[in-house]
PDB file of all heavy atoms in Angstrom:
ATOM      1  N   TYR A1330      -9.994 -12.505  -5.183  1.00 45.00           N
ATOM      2  CA  TYR A1330     -11.071 -12.736  -6.125  1.00 45.00           C
ATOM      3  C   TYR A1330     -11.199 -14.232  -6.383  1.00 45.00           C
ATOM      4  O   TYR A1330     -12.322 -14.809  -6.377  1.00 45.00           O
ATOM      5  CB  TYR A1330     -10.755 -12.073  -7.485  1.00 45.00           C
ATOM      6  CG  TYR A1330     -10.669 -10.589  -7.447  1.00 45.00           C
ATOM      7  CD1 TYR A1330      -9.908  -9.909  -8.391  1.00 45.00           C
ATOM      8  CD2 TYR A1330     -11.342  -9.838  -6.465  1.00 45.00           C
ATOM      9  CE1 TYR A1330      -9.810  -8.542  -8.382  1.00 45.00           C
ATOM     10  CE2 TYR A1330     -11.219  -8.477  -6.423  1.00 45.00           C
ATOM     11  CZ  TYR A1330     -10.449  -7.821  -7.395  1.00 45.00           C
ATOM     12  OH  TYR A1330     -10.363  -6.466  -7.389  1.00 45.00           O
ATOM     13  N   GLU A1331     -10.056 -14.911  -6.588  1.00 49.00           N
ATOM     14  CA  GLU A1331     -10.070 -16.338  -6.905  1.00 49.00           C
ATOM     15  C   GLU A1331     -10.646 -17.129  -5.737  1.00 49.00           C
ATOM     16  O   GLU A1331     -11.390 -18.061  -5.935  1.00 49.00           O
ATOM     17  CB  GLU A1331      -8.658 -16.755  -7.281  1.00 49.00           C
ATOM     18  CG  GLU A1331      -8.158 -16.182  -8.569  1.00 49.00           C
ATOM     19  CD  GLU A1331      -6.742 -16.491  -8.828  1.00 49.00           C
ATOM     20  OE1 GLU A1331      -6.076 -17.018  -7.896  1.00 49.00           O
ATOM     21  OE2 GLU A1331      -6.256 -16.225  -9.937  1.00 49.00           O
ATOM     22  N   ALA A1333     -12.729 -16.071  -3.353  1.00 46.00           N
ATOM     23  CA  ALA A1333     -14.154 -15.823  -3.274  1.00 46.00           C
ATOM     24  C   ALA A1333     -14.907 -16.540  -4.364  1.00 46.00           C
ATOM     25  O   ALA A1333     -15.995 -17.086  -4.166  1.00 46.00           O
ATOM     26  CB  ALA A1333     -14.417 -14.326  -3.332  1.00 46.00           C
ATOM     27  N   ALA A1334     -14.333 -16.592  -5.565  1.00 46.00           N
ATOM     28  CA  ALA A1334     -14.957 -17.245  -6.711  1.00 46.00           C
ATOM     29  C   ALA A1334     -15.097 -18.737  -6.443  1.00 46.00           C
ATOM     30  O   ALA A1334     -16.120 -19.367  -6.694  1.00 46.00           O
ATOM     31  CB  ALA A1334     -14.172 -16.990  -7.995  1.00 46.00           C
ATOM     32  N   VAL A1335     -14.056 -19.347  -5.872  1.00 42.00           N
ATOM     33  CA  VAL A1335     -14.087 -20.787  -5.545  1.00 42.00           C
ATOM     34  C   VAL A1335     -15.107 -21.039  -4.494  1.00 42.00           C
ATOM     35  O   VAL A1335     -15.896 -22.019  -4.528  1.00 42.00           O
ATOM     36  CB  VAL A1335     -12.677 -21.259  -5.123  1.00 42.00           C
ATOM     37  CG1 VAL A1335     -12.743 -22.670  -4.576  1.00 42.00           C
ATOM     38  CG2 VAL A1335     -11.706 -21.182  -6.283  1.00 42.00           C
ATOM     39  N   PHE A1336     -15.146 -20.153  -3.481  1.00 42.00           N
ATOM     40  CA  PHE A1336     -16.116 -20.300  -2.396  1.00 42.00           C
ATOM     41  C   PHE A1336     -17.568 -20.270  -2.888  1.00 42.00           C
ATOM     42  O   PHE A1336     -18.390 -21.030  -2.410  1.00 42.00           O
ATOM     43  CB  PHE A1336     -15.874 -19.235  -1.354  1.00 42.00           C
ATOM     44  CG  PHE A1336     -16.809 -19.268  -0.164  1.00 42.00           C
ATOM     45  CD1 PHE A1336     -16.660 -20.246   0.825  1.00 42.00           C
ATOM     46  CD2 PHE A1336     -17.912 -18.387  -0.089  1.00 42.00           C
ATOM     47  CE1 PHE A1336     -17.523 -20.305   1.903  1.00 42.00           C
ATOM     48  CE2 PHE A1336     -18.777 -18.464   0.990  1.00 42.00           C
ATOM     49  CZ  PHE A1336     -18.558 -19.437   1.975  1.00 42.00           C
ATOM     50  N   LEU A1337     -17.797 -19.381  -3.848  1.00 45.00           N
ATOM     51  CA  LEU A1337     -19.155 -19.262  -4.391  1.00 45.00           C
ATOM     52  C   LEU A1337     -19.435 -20.200  -5.535  1.00 45.00           C
ATOM     53  O   LEU A1337     -20.526 -20.198  -6.085  1.00 45.00           O
ATOM     54  CB  LEU A1337     -19.376 -17.796  -4.835  1.00 45.00           C
ATOM     55  CG  LEU A1337     -19.354 -16.759  -3.748  1.00 45.00           C
ATOM     56  CD1 LEU A1337     -19.455 -15.329  -4.340  1.00 45.00           C
ATOM     57  CD2 LEU A1337     -20.475 -16.956  -2.741  1.00 45.00           C
ATOM     58  N   GLY A1338     -18.456 -20.945  -5.914  1.00 48.00           N
ATOM     59  CA  GLY A1338     -18.639 -21.869  -7.009  1.00 48.00           C
ATOM     60  C   GLY A1338     -18.665 -21.222  -8.385  1.00 48.00           C
ATOM     61  O   GLY A1338     -19.352 -21.708  -9.303  1.00 48.00           O
ATOM     62  N   ILE A1339     -17.975 -20.114  -8.502  1.00 47.00           N
ATOM     63  CA  ILE A1339     -17.948 -19.378  -9.752  1.00 47.00           C
ATOM     64  C   ILE A1339     -16.669 -19.745 -10.524  1.00 47.00           C
ATOM     65  O   ILE A1339     -15.600 -19.752 -10.010  1.00 47.00           O
ATOM     66  CB  ILE A1339     -17.986 -17.895  -9.511  1.00 47.00           C
ATOM     67  CG1 ILE A1339     -19.281 -17.493  -8.787  1.00 47.00           C
ATOM     68  CG2 ILE A1339     -17.900 -17.095 -10.837  1.00 47.00           C
ATOM     69  CD1 ILE A1339     -19.320 -16.062  -8.358  1.00 47.00           C
ATOM     70  N   ASP A1340     -16.848 -20.034 -11.825  1.00 51.00           N
ATOM     71  CA  ASP A1340     -15.691 -20.338 -12.667  1.00 51.00           C
ATOM     72  C   ASP A1340     -14.997 -19.051 -13.063  1.00 51.00           C
ATOM     73  O   ASP A1340     -15.574 -18.207 -13.770  1.00 51.00           O
ATOM     74  CB  ASP A1340     -16.162 -21.071 -13.945  1.00 51.00           C
ATOM     75  CG  ASP A1340     -15.015 -21.456 -14.831  1.00 51.00           C
ATOM     76  OD1 ASP A1340     -13.843 -21.358 -14.355  1.00 51.00           O
ATOM     77  OD2 ASP A1340     -15.218 -21.896 -15.964  1.00 51.00           O
ATOM     78  N   ASN A1341     -13.764 -18.836 -12.584  1.00 49.00           N
ATOM     79  CA  ASN A1341     -13.046 -17.585 -12.810  1.00 49.00           C
ATOM     80  C   ASN A1341     -12.141 -17.608 -14.032  1.00 49.00           C
ATOM     81  O   ASN A1341     -11.536 -16.612 -14.370  1.00 49.00           O
ATOM     82  CB  ASN A1341     -12.203 -17.263 -11.557  1.00 49.00           C
ATOM     83  CG  ASN A1341     -11.645 -15.857 -11.601  1.00 49.00           C
ATOM     84  OD1 ASN A1341     -12.272 -14.961 -12.154  1.00 49.00           O
ATOM     85  ND2 ASN A1341     -10.482 -15.664 -11.032  1.00 49.00           N
ATOM     86  N   ASN A1342     -12.034 -18.767 -14.705  1.00 49.00           N
ATOM     87  CA  ASN A1342     -11.091 -18.910 -15.809  1.00 49.00           C
ATOM     88  C   ASN A1342     -11.487 -17.992 -16.977  1.00 49.00           C
ATOM     89  O   ASN A1342     -10.680 -17.390 -17.637  1.00 49.00           O
ATOM     90  CB  ASN A1342     -11.036 -20.343 -16.316  1.00 49.00           C
ATOM     91  CG  ASN A1342     -10.372 -21.210 -15.239  1.00 49.00           C
ATOM     92  OD1 ASN A1342      -9.543 -20.758 -14.469  1.00 49.00           O
ATOM     93  ND2 ASN A1342     -10.780 -22.492 -15.202  1.00 49.00           N
ATOM     94  N   ASN A1344     -12.942 -15.211 -16.902  1.00 45.00           N
ATOM     95  CA  ASN A1344     -12.842 -13.779 -16.656  1.00 45.00           C
ATOM     96  C   ASN A1344     -11.475 -13.383 -16.110  1.00 45.00           C
ATOM     97  O   ASN A1344     -11.265 -12.285 -15.579  1.00 45.00           O
ATOM     98  CB  ASN A1344     -13.920 -13.340 -15.643  1.00 45.00           C
ATOM     99  CG  ASN A1344     -15.320 -13.614 -16.097  1.00 45.00           C
ATOM    100  OD1 ASN A1344     -15.778 -12.910 -17.028  1.00 45.00           O
ATOM    101  ND2 ASN A1344     -15.953 -14.609 -15.609  1.00 45.00           N
ATOM    102  N   ARG A1517     -25.457 -14.146 -14.008  1.00 92.00           N
ATOM    103  CA  ARG A1517     -25.455 -13.962 -12.593  1.00 92.00           C
ATOM    104  C   ARG A1517     -24.064 -14.180 -11.969  1.00 92.00           C
ATOM    105  O   ARG A1517     -23.614 -13.393 -11.135  1.00 92.00           O
ATOM    106  CB  ARG A1517     -26.471 -14.896 -11.907  1.00 92.00           C
ATOM    107  CG  ARG A1517     -27.936 -14.510 -12.120  1.00 92.00           C
ATOM    108  CD  ARG A1517     -28.333 -13.337 -11.216  1.00 92.00           C
ATOM    109  NE  ARG A1517     -28.200 -13.635  -9.826  1.00 92.00           N
ATOM    110  CZ  ARG A1517     -29.163 -14.175  -9.056  1.00 92.00           C
ATOM    111  NH1 ARG A1517     -30.355 -14.447  -9.589  1.00 92.00           N
ATOM    112  NH2 ARG A1517     -28.944 -14.391  -7.787  1.00 92.00           N
ATOM    113  N   GLN A1518     -23.392 -15.208 -12.463  1.00 92.00           N
ATOM    114  CA  GLN A1518     -22.031 -15.486 -11.965  1.00 92.00           C
ATOM    115  C   GLN A1518     -21.062 -14.383 -12.384  1.00 92.00           C
ATOM    116  O   GLN A1518     -20.227 -13.953 -11.591  1.00 92.00           O
ATOM    117  CB  GLN A1518     -21.544 -16.845 -12.531  1.00 92.00           C
ATOM    118  CG  GLN A1518     -22.287 -18.001 -11.886  1.00 92.00           C
ATOM    119  CD  GLN A1518     -21.846 -19.319 -12.455  1.00 92.00           C
ATOM    120  OE1 GLN A1518     -21.112 -19.358 -13.434  1.00 92.00           O
ATOM    121  NE2 GLN A1518     -22.232 -20.434 -11.802  1.00 92.00           N
ATOM    122  N   ASP A1519     -21.208 -13.945 -13.642  1.00 91.00           N
ATOM    123  CA  ASP A1519     -20.342 -12.843 -14.128  1.00 91.00           C
ATOM    124  C   ASP A1519     -20.501 -11.557 -13.295  1.00 91.00           C
ATOM    125  O   ASP A1519     -19.544 -10.886 -12.992  1.00 91.00           O
ATOM    126  CB  ASP A1519     -20.620 -12.573 -15.608  1.00 91.00           C
ATOM    127  CG  ASP A1519     -20.150 -13.677 -16.497  1.00 91.00           C
ATOM    128  OD1 ASP A1519     -19.311 -14.476 -16.053  1.00 91.00           O
ATOM    129  OD2 ASP A1519     -20.589 -13.749 -17.659  1.00 91.00           O
ATOM    130  N   LEU A1520     -21.757 -11.293 -12.967  1.00 91.00           N
ATOM    131  CA  LEU A1520     -22.035 -10.098 -12.222  1.00 91.00           C
ATOM    132  C   LEU A1520     -21.485 -10.201 -10.762  1.00 91.00           C
ATOM    133  O   LEU A1520     -20.917  -9.259 -10.244  1.00 91.00           O
ATOM    134  CB  LEU A1520     -23.547  -9.855 -12.109  1.00 91.00           C
ATOM    135  CG  LEU A1520     -24.011  -8.622 -11.364  1.00 91.00           C
ATOM    136  CD1 LEU A1520     -23.450  -7.338 -11.995  1.00 91.00           C
ATOM    137  CD2 LEU A1520     -25.555  -8.554 -11.278  1.00 91.00           C
ATOM    138  N   GLN A1521     -21.602 -11.362 -10.143  1.00 91.00           N
ATOM    139  CA  GLN A1521     -21.093 -11.576  -8.807  1.00 91.00           C
ATOM    140  C   GLN A1521     -19.574 -11.449  -8.813  1.00 91.00           C
ATOM    141  O   GLN A1521     -18.947 -10.839  -7.907  1.00 91.00           O
ATOM    142  CB  GLN A1521     -21.488 -12.944  -8.274  1.00 91.00           C
ATOM    143  CG  GLN A1521     -22.989 -13.082  -7.956  1.00 91.00           C
ATOM    144  CD  GLN A1521     -23.447 -12.054  -6.927  1.00 91.00           C
ATOM    145  OE1 GLN A1521     -22.769 -11.830  -5.942  1.00 91.00           O
ATOM    146  NE2 GLN A1521     -24.608 -11.454  -7.139  1.00 91.00           N
ATOM    147  N   LEU A1522     -18.920 -11.992  -9.813  1.00 90.00           N
ATOM    148  CA  LEU A1522     -17.459 -11.921  -9.914  1.00 90.00           C
ATOM    149  C   LEU A1522     -17.034 -10.469 -10.142  1.00 90.00           C
ATOM    150  O   LEU A1522     -15.993 -10.026  -9.574  1.00 90.00           O
ATOM    151  CB  LEU A1522     -16.960 -12.801 -11.030  1.00 90.00           C
ATOM    152  CG  LEU A1522     -15.451 -12.852 -11.216  1.00 90.00           C
ATOM    153  CD1 LEU A1522     -14.758 -13.387  -9.963  1.00 90.00           C
ATOM    154  CD2 LEU A1522     -15.061 -13.689 -12.406  1.00 90.00           C
ATOM    155  N   LEU A1525     -17.184  -8.643  -6.902  1.00 85.00           N
ATOM    156  CA  LEU A1525     -16.064  -9.019  -6.091  1.00 85.00           C
ATOM    157  C   LEU A1525     -14.773  -8.315  -6.518  1.00 85.00           C
ATOM    158  O   LEU A1525     -13.999  -7.834  -5.667  1.00 85.00           O
ATOM    159  CB  LEU A1525     -15.856 -10.535  -6.147  1.00 85.00           C
ATOM    160  CG  LEU A1525     -16.829 -11.430  -5.367  1.00 85.00           C
ATOM    161  CD1 LEU A1525     -16.581 -12.849  -5.708  1.00 85.00           C
ATOM    162  CD2 LEU A1525     -16.703 -11.181  -3.876  1.00 85.00           C
TER     163      LEU A1525
END
Side-chain angles (χ1 to χ4, degrees):
Y1330 298 155
E1331 293 173 349
V1335 171
F1336 179 77
L1337 295 175
I1339 299 174
D1340 183 11
N1341 192 32
N1342 294 330
N1344 300 286
R1517 285 284 299 269
Q1518 290 179 349
D1519 290 342
L1520 181 60
Q1521 291 300 318
L1522 183 60
L1525 285 172

